[in-house]
Amino acid sequence: TPIAAPDNIADCVTASSNLQNPTDVVRGLACCPPALSSKPEIYTLPVNPVTRIRPAAQRATPEYIEKYKAAIQEMRKLPDDHPHSFKQQAMIHCAYCNGGYNQEQSGHPELQLQIHNSWLFFPFHRWYLYFYERILGKLINDPTFAIPYWNWDHPTGMMLPAMFEDADPDTTPKQNPIFDPYRDVTHLPPAILDAEYAGANTGADCVNQISSNLASMYRQMITNATDTTSFFGGEFVSGDNPLQADTLIAGSIESGIHTAMHRWVGNPRMANNEDMGNFYSAGYDPVFYVHHANIDRMWKIWKDLGIPGHVEPTSDDWNNASYVFYDENERLVRVFNKDSIDIGRMGYDYERSSVPWLQSRP
Ligand code: C2O
């Protein structure tokens, strides 16, 4: 039976899992969404959508950056209990990833629902970003608005995009809606990221770090991602216990640069590596969505390489796995993995950026 988030999304409890120091959290653990409805509609993709083009953050124009910041600012102005508010959007990640929901909808109320470390990882986050982007566009009345992507697989994108830290130097705290106070200050620009960061800096100079990152991308996208399971992660179906680590297999990108960038951006001095370094708090850093846009782009690139074996899972347990979100019109909707396969149908695409790691076979 496929995993299914509850119809009644208020059927949710305070987060309790995947926390190193639950008593020292700086973001709340009560991350259940508001109950505007208890019965989601089945979501259908818009017919003939305008294509939103997600730009590479390091090449974004000043006009675009202003627009993006304005949209986030609008989101921050909404009351906390509004489903589109900055806080509610962040709490979605906490509810789905730190034990807010169980598997009751699919017959296993005794087990938690978890969308990491399995084949649910790519489709869940694709849907999460899809609604987040539409909500931001709606807040600034721009139906073509698209979120940026953090192009960390390209040498020109291998540091935290500058827009997240720029601010009026005379103001404290920084007057920048995409600034977040809980980041590792030693990893701000011009620090070059490490695609395999696991808590310790390599000390490599920038030329060597860049070539090691490119080689790492090649391994994560080609050498270690030759088939569906190695790229998407292992099966996860109703009845599987996410707290039993041996039932979980993360794909090459999820366990690779995905986790590395969460750790690299999060502040190691915080009790739970807030914000990016823990599921419960990651969504409070706007970088989270921009990081995940590039993760999502990796799915598209892996598929478009056209290499035999580069295909999505085909089983019903994957196709029919479903999540529940509020859409940009505050409608409660249920969405399925099978409707997330084609981003053209979903109405967005990525601005092209060259893929130099393809030539970087280690
Ligand atoms: Cu849901 Cu990057 O984690």
Side-chain angles (χ1 to χ4, degrees):
T1 317
I3 284 289
D7 266 347
N8 180 0
I9 60 171
D11 193 354
C12 164
V13 299
T14 297
S16 62
S17 58
N18 299 313
L19 297 154
Q20 295 95 306
N21 288 297
T23 51
D24 272 324
V25 298
V26 293
R27 309 295 193 178
L29 293 176
C31 42
C32 300
L36 304 186
S37 157
S38 57
K39 186 72 196 143
E41 295 168 41
I42 301 295
Y43 187 73
T44 49
L45 289 168
V47 182
N48 300 322
V50 261
T51 302
R52 301 164 190 255
I53 305 292
R54 296 181 178 173
Q58 81 276 19
R59 282 198 301 269
T61 63
E63 297 72 40
Y64 170 81
I65 293 171
E66 279 321 300
K67 189 199 270 195
Y68 168 49
K69 289 182 178 176
I72 300 284
Q73 187 59 40
E74 287 306 309
M75 188 174 253
R76 286 189 187 267
K77 281 196 229 153
L78 294 171
D80 282 352
D81 62 353
H82 191 291
H84 296 168
S85 72
F86 186 82
K87 189 171 178 197
Q88 291 294 333
Q89 289 298 304
M91 280 161 43
I92 291 171
H93 202 251
C94 168
Y96 272 97
C97 318
N98 297 81
Y101 296 127
N102 63 39
Q103 300 176 28
E104 177 161 24
Q105 186 80 19
S106 52
H108 287 279
E110 76 285 6
L111 296 172
Q112 286 186 3
L113 194 155
Q114 172 59 260
I115 48 68
H116 291 97
N117 299 308
S118 77
W119 67 4
L120 302 179
F121 172 76
F122 278 108
F124 170 81
H125 291 86
R126 178 167 280 183
W127 279 119
Y128 184 8
L129 263 54
Y130 172 86
F131 290 115
Y132 175 80
E133 176 170 79
R134 298 174 76 86
I135 290 167
L136 288 170
K138 176 136 189 197
L139 286 167
I140 54 168
N141 293 315
D142 181 352
T144 69
F145 176 78
I147 56 174
Y149 67 92
W150 180 6
N151 196 183
W152 32 243
D153 59 306
H154 190 282
T156 60
M158 289 185 185
M159 54 177 85
L160 185 80
M163 62 169 94
F164 290 97
E165 286 284 323
D166 24 87
D168 174 349
D170 301 328
T171 55
T172 333
K174 297 193 183 194
Q175 298 298 304
N176 174 356
I178 58 172
F179 173 72
D180 185 89
Y182 304 121
R183 289 178 187 151
D184 185 339
V185 293
T186 72
H187 290 160
L188 302 180
I192 303 288
L193 63 86
D194 169 10
E196 299 189 356
Y197 184 70
N201 292 321
T202 60
D205 63 38
C206 110
V207 173
N208 283 309
Q209 188 64 58
I210 287 172
S211 52
S212 117
N213 289 343
L214 292 172
S216 177
M217 287 311 303
Y218 188 95
R219 281 192 297 272
Q220 294 181 44
M221 291 291 283
I222 314 270
T223 322
N224 298 337
T226 52
D227 61 12
T228 307
T229 304
S230 53
F231 184 71
F232 281 88
E235 288 190 13
F236 189 75
V237 299
S238 185
D240 288 340
N241 184 355
L243 298 179
Q244 229 173 290
D246 59 349
T247 62
L248 302 173
I249 302 170
S252 57
I253 286 287
E254 182 182 5
S255 62
I257 192 153
H258 164 256
T259 300
M261 289 306 95
H262 273 280
R263 296 191 65 178
W264 196 75
V265 178
N267 186 344
R269 294 171 188 274
M270 302 293 293
N272 296 284
N273 301 312
E274 286 91 347
D275 275 322
M276 276 282 277
N278 192 288
F279 293 147
Y280 101 97
S281 52
Y284 286 88
D285 190 336
V287 169
F288 169 83
Y289 307 88
V290 176
H291 172 41
H292 269 275
N294 207 38
I295 298 285
D296 186 69
R297 179 173 160 263
M298 291 303 122
W299 174 3
K300 177 168 161 49
I301 290 174
W302 184 80
K303 179 81 177 294
D304 288 353
L305 287 172
I307 298 172
H310 285 213
V311 288
E312 283 87 12
T314 50
S315 91
D316 288 347
D317 282 334
W318 187 80
N319 275 313
N320 295 325
S322 63
Y323 324 102
V324 173
F325 291 94
Y326 283 108
D327 76 359
E328 72 277 16
N329 300 312
E330 293 167 66
R331 260 185 337 138
L332 191 64
V333 293
R334 179 176 295 280
V335 295
F336 295 85
N337 282 355
K338 61 181 176 223
D339 291 322
S340 72
I341 292 172
D342 180 352
I343 66 172
R345 278 185 64 217
M346 294 177 85
Y348 71 91
D349 202 351
Y350 290 96
E351 175 189 276
R352 265 192 66 83
S353 184
S354 66
V355 187
W357 47 259
L358 268 179
Q359 274 73 51
S360 302
R361 189 204 303 229

